[in-house]
Amino acid sequence: MIEKKVVVGLPHGLHARPAANFVKLATTFKSEIKLVKNEKEANGKSIMGVMASAIAKGDEISLVANGVDEAEAIAALEKVLLEEE
């Protein structure tokens, strides 16, 4: 299991389109993906879970991956969260 703290750089946070892009990428990995904000966990492969997390620009979250491709998943998903469009 890998856990990495990330400060979200997306201008409008993880709203509809960026959340959909995040989930689409997350589902390409075999690892379990979680987003943790204020001790609340969300399934990183669930659009409803990601959007319900209400992750805004500047929020510090934990990105957690557990599985065979966890390192690749963390690297790719962190890149999505740091983009400043």
Side-chain angles (χ1 to χ4, degrees):
M1 181 177 87
I2 298 176
E3 181 173 349
K4 180 146 191 183
K5 298 248 186 240
V6 178
V7 175
V8 177
L10 296 164
H12 303 291
L14 265 174
H15 65 90
R17 188 172 297 130
N21 291 340
F22 182 91
V23 170
K24 185 176 180 183
L25 180 59
T27 57
T28 66
F29 296 102
K30 292 180 181 173
S31 296
E32 180 182 336
I33 310 292
K34 291 182 189 169
L35 295 171
V36 183
K37 177 184 170 190
N38 299 331
E39 299 184 24
K40 291 184 182 174
E41 287 186 2
N43 180 350
K45 295 182 179 183
S46 162
I47 187 70
M48 295 307 289
V50 171
M51 289 185 63
S53 297
I55 296 169
K57 179 180 172 95
D59 284 350
E60 182 179 72
I61 63 166
S62 293
L63 182 58
V64 182
N66 188 14
V68 294
D69 53 1
E70 59 193 23
E72 295 87 359
I74 290 286
L77 294 169
E78 178 185 23
K79 216 181 232 187
V80 171
L81 294 172
L82 294 176
E83 284 180 3
E84 296 193 12
E85 294 179 347

Short mmCIF file of all heavy atoms in Angstrom, two decimals, residues 16-43:
data_model
loop_
_atom_site.label_atom_id
_atom_site.label_comp_id
_atom_site.label_asym_id
_atom_site.label_seq_id
_atom_site.Cartn_x
_atom_site.Cartn_y
_atom_site.Cartn_z
N ALA A 16 -17.14 17.97 -11.87
CA ALA A 16 -17.62 16.95 -12.82
C ALA A 16 -16.58 16.43 -13.82
O ALA A 16 -16.28 15.24 -13.83
CB ALA A 16 -18.85 17.45 -13.54
N ARG A 17 -16.07 17.28 -14.69
CA ARG A 17 -15.18 16.80 -15.74
C ARG A 17 -13.86 16.26 -15.19
O ARG A 17 -13.46 15.13 -15.54
CB ARG A 17 -14.94 17.87 -16.80
CG ARG A 17 -14.17 17.31 -18.00
CD ARG A 17 -14.08 18.29 -19.15
NE ARG A 17 -15.40 18.60 -19.66
CZ ARG A 17 -15.84 19.84 -19.86
NH1 ARG A 17 -15.08 20.87 -19.59
NH2 ARG A 17 -17.05 20.06 -20.33
N PRO A 18 -13.15 16.99 -14.32
CA PRO A 18 -11.92 16.43 -13.78
C PRO A 18 -12.15 15.16 -12.95
O PRO A 18 -11.34 14.24 -12.97
CB PRO A 18 -11.36 17.54 -12.90
CG PRO A 18 -12.00 18.79 -13.37
CD PRO A 18 -13.33 18.38 -13.91
N ALA A 19 -13.28 15.09 -12.26
CA ALA A 19 -13.61 13.89 -11.48
C ALA A 19 -13.80 12.71 -12.43
O ALA A 19 -13.32 11.60 -12.17
CB ALA A 19 -14.85 14.12 -10.64
N ALA A 20 -14.49 12.94 -13.53
CA ALA A 20 -14.71 11.87 -14.52
C ALA A 20 -13.38 11.41 -15.11
O ALA A 20 -13.15 10.20 -15.27
CB ALA A 20 -15.65 12.36 -15.62
N ASN A 21 -12.49 12.36 -15.41
CA ASN A 21 -11.17 12.00 -15.95
C ASN A 21 -10.36 11.20 -14.93
O ASN A 21 -9.69 10.23 -15.27
CB ASN A 21 -10.40 13.26 -16.35
CG ASN A 21 -11.00 13.94 -17.56
OD1 ASN A 21 -11.75 13.34 -18.32
ND2 ASN A 21 -10.70 15.21 -17.71
N PHE A 22 -10.44 11.61 -13.65
CA PHE A 22 -9.73 10.91 -12.58
C PHE A 22 -10.23 9.48 -12.47
O PHE A 22 -9.45 8.53 -12.44
CB PHE A 22 -9.93 11.65 -11.25
CG PHE A 22 -9.20 11.02 -10.10
CD1 PHE A 22 -7.91 11.41 -9.78
CD2 PHE A 22 -9.78 10.02 -9.33
CE1 PHE A 22 -7.21 10.82 -8.73
CE2 PHE A 22 -9.11 9.42 -8.29
CZ PHE A 22 -7.82 9.83 -7.99
N VAL A 23 -11.55 9.31 -12.43
CA VAL A 23 -12.15 7.97 -12.28
C VAL A 23 -11.82 7.10 -13.49
O VAL A 23 -11.50 5.92 -13.35
CB VAL A 23 -13.67 8.07 -12.05
CG1 VAL A 23 -14.34 6.72 -12.14
CG2 VAL A 23 -13.95 8.72 -10.69
N LYS A 24 -11.90 7.69 -14.68
CA LYS A 24 -11.60 6.94 -15.91
C LYS A 24 -10.17 6.39 -15.86
O LYS A 24 -9.93 5.24 -16.20
CB LYS A 24 -11.79 7.86 -17.12
CG LYS A 24 -11.63 7.17 -18.45
CD LYS A 24 -11.93 8.14 -19.58
CE LYS A 24 -11.76 7.47 -20.93
NZ LYS A 24 -11.99 8.41 -22.03
N LEU A 25 -9.24 7.23 -15.41
CA LEU A 25 -7.84 6.79 -15.30
C LEU A 25 -7.69 5.77 -14.17
O LEU A 25 -7.02 4.74 -14.33
CB LEU A 25 -6.93 7.99 -15.06
CG LEU A 25 -5.44 7.69 -14.91
CD1 LEU A 25 -4.89 7.00 -16.16
CD2 LEU A 25 -4.66 8.96 -14.63
N ALA A 26 -8.34 6.02 -13.04
CA ALA A 26 -8.23 5.12 -11.88
C ALA A 26 -8.70 3.71 -12.23
O ALA A 26 -8.13 2.72 -11.77
CB ALA A 26 -9.03 5.66 -10.70
N THR A 27 -9.75 3.61 -13.06
CA THR A 27 -10.28 2.29 -13.40
C THR A 27 -9.36 1.49 -14.32
O THR A 27 -9.56 0.29 -14.49
CB THR A 27 -11.69 2.39 -14.04
OG1 THR A 27 -11.61 3.21 -15.20
CG2 THR A 27 -12.70 2.96 -13.07
N THR A 28 -8.34 2.14 -14.88
CA THR A 28 -7.40 1.40 -15.72
C THR A 28 -6.38 0.62 -14.88
O THR A 28 -5.65 -0.21 -15.42
CB THR A 28 -6.63 2.34 -16.68
OG1 THR A 28 -5.79 3.22 -15.94
CG2 THR A 28 -7.60 3.13 -17.56
N PHE A 29 -6.33 0.87 -13.59
CA PHE A 29 -5.39 0.18 -12.71
C PHE A 29 -6.09 -0.94 -11.95
O PHE A 29 -7.27 -0.84 -11.61
CB PHE A 29 -4.76 1.17 -11.71
CG PHE A 29 -3.93 2.22 -12.38
CD1 PHE A 29 -4.44 3.50 -12.58
CD2 PHE A 29 -2.66 1.94 -12.85
CE1 PHE A 29 -3.69 4.48 -13.21
CE2 PHE A 29 -1.90 2.91 -13.49
CZ PHE A 29 -2.42 4.17 -13.68
N LYS A 30 -5.35 -2.00 -11.66
CA LYS A 30 -5.89 -3.13 -10.91
C LYS A 30 -5.97 -2.82 -9.41
O LYS A 30 -6.77 -3.38 -8.70
CB LYS A 30 -5.04 -4.38 -11.13
CG LYS A 30 -5.12 -4.91 -12.53
CD LYS A 30 -4.28 -6.14 -12.73
CE LYS A 30 -4.38 -6.61 -14.18
NZ LYS A 30 -3.47 -7.69 -14.47
N SER A 31 -5.13 -1.91 -8.96
CA SER A 31 -5.06 -1.56 -7.54
C SER A 31 -6.35 -0.91 -7.06
O SER A 31 -7.07 -0.27 -7.83
CB SER A 31 -3.91 -0.60 -7.27
OG SER A 31 -2.68 -1.20 -7.56
N GLU A 32 -6.60 -1.05 -5.76
CA GLU A 32 -7.70 -0.33 -5.11
C GLU A 32 -7.22 1.11 -4.94
O GLU A 32 -6.10 1.35 -4.50
CB GLU A 32 -7.96 -0.98 -3.75
CG GLU A 32 -9.07 -0.35 -2.96
CD GLU A 32 -9.25 -1.03 -1.60
OE1 GLU A 32 -8.86 -2.19 -1.44
OE2 GLU A 32 -9.77 -0.35 -0.71
N ILE A 33 -8.06 2.06 -5.29
CA ILE A 33 -7.70 3.49 -5.21
C ILE A 33 -8.66 4.18 -4.24
O ILE A 33 -9.88 4.01 -4.34
CB ILE A 33 -7.82 4.19 -6.58
CG1 ILE A 33 -7.10 3.42 -7.69
CG2 ILE A 33 -7.37 5.64 -6.49
CD1 ILE A 33 -5.61 3.38 -7.58
N LYS A 34 -8.10 4.97 -3.32
CA LYS A 34 -8.93 5.72 -2.38
C LYS A 34 -8.44 7.16 -2.31
O LYS A 34 -7.24 7.42 -2.43
CB LYS A 34 -8.86 5.13 -0.97
CG LYS A 34 -9.50 3.80 -0.81
CD LYS A 34 -9.41 3.34 0.63
CE LYS A 34 -9.86 1.91 0.78
NZ LYS A 34 -9.55 1.39 2.10
N LEU A 35 -9.38 8.06 -2.10
CA LEU A 35 -9.06 9.46 -1.80
C LEU A 35 -9.51 9.70 -0.37
O LEU A 35 -10.62 9.31 0.01
CB LEU A 35 -9.84 10.39 -2.73
CG LEU A 35 -9.49 10.32 -4.21
CD1 LEU A 35 -10.48 11.14 -5.02
CD2 LEU A 35 -8.09 10.83 -4.44
N VAL A 36 -8.64 10.31 0.43
CA VAL A 36 -8.99 10.58 1.83
C VAL A 36 -8.89 12.08 2.08
O VAL A 36 -7.84 12.69 1.86
CB VAL A 36 -8.05 9.82 2.80
CG1 VAL A 36 -8.48 10.05 4.24
CG2 VAL A 36 -8.03 8.32 2.48
N LYS A 37 -10.00 12.66 2.51
CA LYS A 37 -10.04 14.09 2.84
C LYS A 37 -10.72 14.21 4.20
O LYS A 37 -11.84 13.74 4.38
CB LYS A 37 -10.83 14.87 1.79
CG LYS A 37 -10.97 16.35 2.11
CD LYS A 37 -11.85 17.05 1.08
CE LYS A 37 -12.17 18.45 1.57
NZ LYS A 37 -13.19 19.09 0.76
N ASN A 38 -10.03 14.85 5.13
CA ASN A 38 -10.57 15.03 6.49
C ASN A 38 -11.04 13.71 7.09
O ASN A 38 -12.12 13.61 7.65
CB ASN A 38 -11.72 16.05 6.49
CG ASN A 38 -11.27 17.41 6.02
OD1 ASN A 38 -10.12 17.77 6.17
ND2 ASN A 38 -12.18 18.15 5.42
N GLU A 39 -10.23 12.68 6.92
CA GLU A 39 -10.48 11.34 7.45
C GLU A 39 -11.70 10.64 6.85
O GLU A 39 -12.14 9.61 7.32
CB GLU A 39 -10.58 11.37 8.98
CG GLU A 39 -9.28 11.86 9.61
CD GLU A 39 -9.30 11.82 11.12
OE1 GLU A 39 -10.06 11.03 11.69
OE2 GLU A 39 -8.52 12.58 11.72
N LYS A 40 -12.26 11.20 5.77
CA LYS A 40 -13.36 10.55 5.06
C LYS A 40 -12.80 9.94 3.79
O LYS A 40 -12.14 10.62 3.01
CB LYS A 40 -14.47 11.55 4.71
CG LYS A 40 -15.22 12.04 5.93
CD LYS A 40 -16.36 12.94 5.52
CE LYS A 40 -17.06 13.45 6.78
NZ LYS A 40 -18.10 14.44 6.47
N GLU A 41 -13.05 8.65 3.59
CA GLU A 41 -12.54 7.93 2.43
C GLU A 41 -13.56 7.89 1.31
O GLU A 41 -14.75 7.76 1.55
CB GLU A 41 -12.19 6.49 2.80
CG GLU A 41 -10.97 6.35 3.64
CD GLU A 41 -10.58 4.89 3.86
OE1 GLU A 41 -11.25 3.98 3.33
OE2 GLU A 41 -9.60 4.67 4.58
N ALA A 42 -13.06 7.96 0.08
CA ALA A 42 -13.90 7.80 -1.10
C ALA A 42 -13.22 6.82 -2.04
O ALA A 42 -11.99 6.83 -2.18
CB ALA A 42 -14.09 9.13 -1.80
N ASN A 43 -14.02 5.99 -2.68
CA ASN A 43 -13.51 5.07 -3.68
C ASN A 43 -13.09 5.88 -4.91
O ASN A 43 -13.91 6.57 -5.50
CB ASN A 43 -14.61 4.06 -4.04
CG ASN A 43 -14.17 3.05 -5.08
OD1 ASN A 43 -13.12 3.18 -5.70
ND2 ASN A 43 -14.99 2.04 -5.26
#
